[in-house]
């Protein structure tokens, strides 16, 4: 059974049109992460939540926002997607020990 | 920002051979983890080694850690075609729960 679920699997948006990616978990983990991964590159940490505490990476563009309304759900909002934002977006969860992350299958975002 | 580099960037071997991948990182760590990613999918945790450990084994996996050199290696023994994937190291650099990944090694195991 999938424990970290990302929807949709593929998302196509238009240049400048806001888009929201969603992630849900059944693990009751404290920490939820969003990573951006471009082709043949490493996942790049955008931000993470420890419970309701939001931690933004210094080099994450302001165009990227996140919401975590409850333990189970976390959203990635891209306010004005540019062509350079086309990538795989990965959600992951972890408990407070940080000894193992559980990843969703990712959302592949295309920007036209 | 990314935590470090991995080498080689790509590795191609025959089934049955061993594969060694290396990872370097920049800051002090609590632990180092290795993950596997099949093409177009999420990452899967393979093994963790703590900063006070030097070597760890799990099945066909062997991980070493040298904190003085800020480096780790992952050895996969007796490789199989199904081991074909990208392999990433990740480090927990502090007390902020941030997990950062190295550049990754793309492993191809030919049958």
């Amino acid at each position: 059974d999938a424990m970290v679920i990302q929807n949709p699997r593929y998302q196509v948006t238009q240049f400048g049109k806001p888009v929201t990616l969603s992630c849900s978990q059944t693990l009751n983990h404290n920490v939820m992460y969003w990573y951006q991964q471009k082709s043949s590159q490493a996942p790049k940490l955008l931000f993470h939540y420890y419970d309701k505490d939001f931690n933004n990476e210094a080099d994450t563009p302001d165009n990227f926002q996140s919401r975590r309304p409850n333990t189970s759900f976390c959203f990635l909002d891209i306010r004005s997607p540019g062509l350079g934002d086309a990538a795989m977006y990965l959600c992951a969860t972890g408990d407070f020990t940080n000894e193992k992350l559980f990843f969703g299958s990712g959302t592949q975002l295309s920007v036209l | 920002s990314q935590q470090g580099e991995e080498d080689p960037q790509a590795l191609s071997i025959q089934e049955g051979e061993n594969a060694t991948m290396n990872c370097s990182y920049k800051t002090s760590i609590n632990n180092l983890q290795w993950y596997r990613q099949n093409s177009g999918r999420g990452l899967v945790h393979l093994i963790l080694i703590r900063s006070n450990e030097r070597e760890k084994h799990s099945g066909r996996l062997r991980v070493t850690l040298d904190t003085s050199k800020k480096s780790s290696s992952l050895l996969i023994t007796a490789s199989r075609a199904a081991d074909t994937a990208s392999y990433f190291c990740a480090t927990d650099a502090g007390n902020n729960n941030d997990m950062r990944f190295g550049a990754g090694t793309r492993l191809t195991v030919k049958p």
Side-chain angles (χ1 to χ4, degrees):
Chain A
D1 291 334
M3 296 177 286
V4 182
I5 301 167
Q6 290 189 246
N7 285 306
R9 183 75 178 89
Y10 299 95
Q11 175 75 56
V12 180
T13 191
Q14 292 180 335
F15 183 94
K17 183 175 181 181
V19 66
T20 294
L21 309 182
S22 73
C23 177
S24 64
Q25 57 142 334
T26 60
L27 298 164
N28 206 36
H29 280 164
N30 301 94
V31 194
M32 293 188 78
Y33 302 85
W34 279 105
Y35 290 89
Q36 178 193 65
Q37 186 179 30
K38 297 188 176 179
S39 183
S40 300
Q41 295 184 19
K44 178 180 180 298
L45 181 61
L46 295 174
F47 25 59
H48 74 276
Y49 279 92
Y50 189 108
D51 293 328
K52 290 182 182 280
D53 293 333
F54 178 69
N55 298 272
N56 196 30
E57 289 296 294
D59 56 356
T60 297
D62 292 340
N63 200 24
F64 291 83
Q65 307 277 313
S66 185
R67 295 170 284 135
R68 188 178 186 187
N70 53 52
T71 301
S72 301
F73 286 88
C74 195
F75 300 98
L76 170 61
D77 301 309
I78 309 177
R79 291 191 297 187
S80 182
L83 298 178
D85 296 328
M88 172 76 86
Y89 289 87
L90 294 163
C91 173
T93 72
D95 65 16
F96 69 95
T97 66
N98 230 23
E99 293 186 347
K100 183 175 182 178
L101 298 191
F102 293 81
F103 280 82
S105 296
T107 294
Q108 183 67 50
L109 177 69
S110 300
V111 181
L112 303 180
Chain B
S1 61
Q2 298 311 107
Q3 173 63 307
E5 297 299 320
E6 290 179 58
D7 74 272
Q9 289 188 339
L11 179 61
S12 182
I13 59 174
Q14 294 294 134
E15 217 168 20
E17 294 180 340
N18 295 342
T20 299
M21 291 160 272
N22 303 297
C23 164
S24 63
Y25 56 92
K26 297 175 182 174
T27 63
S28 297
I29 60 172
N30 296 317
N31 65 64
L32 184 143
Q33 302 171 34
W34 284 90
Y35 287 80
R36 168 198 168 118
Q37 184 180 35
N38 287 348
S39 181
R41 307 301 294 180
L43 285 76
V44 176
H45 183 269
L46 294 175
I47 192 168
L48 171 147
I49 187 165
R50 292 191 172 83
S51 59
N52 61 353
E53 297 176 314
R54 291 297 165 259
E55 187 171 312
K56 202 132 179 222
H57 297 255
S58 176
R60 293 185 296 114
L61 305 180
R62 173 178 169 255
V63 172
T64 63
L65 179 65
D66 187 335
T67 52
S68 67
K69 295 181 180 177
K70 291 187 169 58
S71 67
S72 174
S73 68
L74 172 67
L75 168 68
I76 303 175
T77 60
S79 64
R80 305 166 182 165
D83 294 329
T84 295
S86 292
Y87 292 82
F88 296 93
C89 68
T91 53
D92 170 8
N95 296 320
N96 198 31
N97 290 98
D98 50 356
M99 293 293 297
R100 295 195 175 88
F101 286 82
T105 295
R106 172 71 189 167
L107 174 66
T108 302
V109 182
K110 300 175 187 175

